[in-house]
Amino acid sequence: MTVVAAAGNDGVNLADSTPAAYPEVLTVTAMGDFDGKPGGLSTTPPCQDGRQDDTAADFSDYATPDSSEVDHTIAAPGVCITSTWNDGKTKTISGTSMASPHVAGLVARCIEAGPCAGLSPAQVIARLRADATSRPADQGFAGDPNHPIDGKYYGYLASDVGY
Amino acid sequence: MSLGGEGSDDGHCGKTDGDAFHVAICQVTAAA
């Protein structure tokens, strides 16, 4: 079984947070994506938390470049995410716990759709990271390895192309 | 529900530092 974990919301090195630090999991950092398009075009976030479109979330834990955590880290939208709530309604909140379900869903789709069928968890993690890395640089976000911020590694934005 | 906290990787699936959570995750990922 492939395990997907939220990086954590303390804005610190995820090497000090578990299960994010475990090399056996796919660790997900959070970035803002308010319109489903690259380029930071949206100036009207769907919630009022002061964060920006196509930019790494400042609350998200991160890996340090050249660390072993880089090898199992990927990014997904985790700012102003609307989902079901335990009162039968919906709620819009931010956090890496809102980013990781995007990637868990991608893992399921990749397995169901074929590219990840029959792969080991380590191979699934490698596949999703490889597909994210192959995303054109101009479809990334401020904070990804093509546009680093303060030496923090948030990973490449997960991609669902082909799943 | 969120499950997590402070800690680090011991490099041995939790067997060196007695991390039961890490041991469990290694077991499920190894089971594929």
Side-chain angles (χ1 to χ4, degrees):
Chain A
M1 178 191 299
T2 300
V3 177
V4 178
N9 300 317
D10 296 315
V12 298
N13 187 349
L14 65 85
D16 299 319
S17 177
T18 58
Y22 301 153
E24 296 81 14
V25 308
L26 181 53
T27 300
V28 187
T29 67
M31 50 79 70
D33 180 12
F34 304 151
D35 57 5
K37 302 174 183 176
L41 303 174
S42 176
T43 57
T44 55
C47 72
Q48 301 299 319
D49 75 350
R51 297 189 171 88
Q52 295 182 318
D53 187 30
D54 297 317
T55 302
D58 56 354
F59 59 75
S60 178
D61 286 3
Y62 53 83
T64 56
D66 303 321
S67 69
S68 60
E69 288 74 31
V70 163
D71 296 335
H72 61 98
T73 298
I74 199 168
V79 178
C80 301
I81 303 299
T82 300
S83 186
T84 50
W85 203 249
N86 59 5
D87 60 0
K89 301 178 182 177
T90 62
K91 195 168 184 177
T92 301
I93 63 172
S94 301
T96 55
S97 286
M98 305 305 282
S100 59
H102 287 98
V103 175
L106 282 179
V107 168
R109 286 182 52 164
C110 188
I111 293 172
E112 190 277 336
C116 294
L119 300 184
S120 69
Q123 290 171 325
V124 169
I125 290 171
R127 173 67 193 238
L128 262 72
R129 291 195 69 251
D131 288 348
T133 302
S134 65
R135 177 191 286 272
D138 62 2
Q139 293 182 16
F141 66 97
D144 74 15
N146 290 319
H147 314 85
I149 297 176
D150 297 335
K152 299 172 181 175
Y153 184 94
Y154 293 96
Y156 290 95
L157 180 60
S159 170
D160 65 350
V161 174
Y163 299 170
Chain B
M1 181 183 74
S2 294
L3 189 63
E6 293 183 5
S8 60
D9 170 39
D10 67 355
H12 297 95
C13 279
K15 296 175 182 173
T16 300
D17 62 5
D19 183 347
F21 191 21
H22 197 178
V23 171
I25 285 180
C26 281
Q27 288 177 344
V28 298
T29 56

